[in-house]
Amino acid sequence: MIRAAHSHWPAGHRFKPINDDHLRKWLQAKAGHAIVTTIDTVGLETNAAILLIAAGLSAAKDHTFPFAADGKFYIFQSESIAFDTLPHLSACALFDAVADTIEAETGLKVTDIMPAIRERKPAKVETFESVPL
């Protein structure tokens, strides 16, 4: 789904994904599966605000998605989707939310941009025909 979304990502979109993984993490964060760090810069001198923001960004892992508004600086990071940290039903809900986010951001239906299952993986007969029994 992410690969299909990346190949159909609108050129004029404000977010420019570097690769499939970058897009996946942005979509997950946008869908609400994110860690958000808020840095309040109201009343701070410019250098102090820059230091706080730099510290926040350097403490973040992997891809970050910064945003500033109303005297605050927000650092969004996608939360882990590792099997041992995300229960099955939560993962299903997240994947549905990501599909909804793809549709909202691109205007395309995920079912329309996904290749047919037969084009994605070989049939079981093809997969196991070389296994001697």
Side-chain angles (χ1 to χ4, degrees):
M1 177 172 69
I2 300 299
R3 186 174 298 132
H6 190 215
S7 67
H8 290 85
W9 199 252
H13 197 279
R14 68 189 178 286
F15 177 69
K16 309 287 186 215
I18 298 167
N19 54 34
D20 292 348
D21 193 49
H22 189 221
L23 178 60
R24 176 183 63 82
K25 291 189 179 226
W26 184 83
L27 288 166
Q28 287 172 190
K30 182 84 173 168
H33 191 68
I35 300 165
V36 181
T37 303
T38 304
I39 301 168
D40 190 354
T41 58
V42 173
L44 294 177
E45 292 182 17
T46 303
N47 288 341
I50 290 170
L51 284 172
L52 280 176
I53 292 168
L57 287 169
S58 65
K61 298 177 186 172
D62 234 352
H63 300 293
T64 59
F65 310 103
F67 179 77
D70 302 323
K72 294 186 190 274
F73 190 83
Y74 303 94
I75 302 168
F76 291 84
Q77 302 175 76
S78 176
E79 283 189 86
S80 173
I81 58 169
F83 183 76
D84 59 338
T85 63
L86 187 64
H88 177 76
L89 293 177
S90 298
C92 292
L94 172 61
F95 301 153
D96 289 343
V98 166
D100 292 343
T101 303
I102 290 169
E103 292 179 1
E105 295 293 325
T106 65
L108 301 170
K109 290 284 195 192
V110 169
T111 53
D112 293 340
I113 63 173
M114 291 286 293
I117 290 175
R118 67 183 169 280
E119 295 172 17
R120 285 186 271 160
K121 66 180 197 176
K124 286 185 178 182
V125 172
E126 296 167 13
T127 304
F128 298 110
E129 69 184 5
S130 63
V131 178
L133 293 179

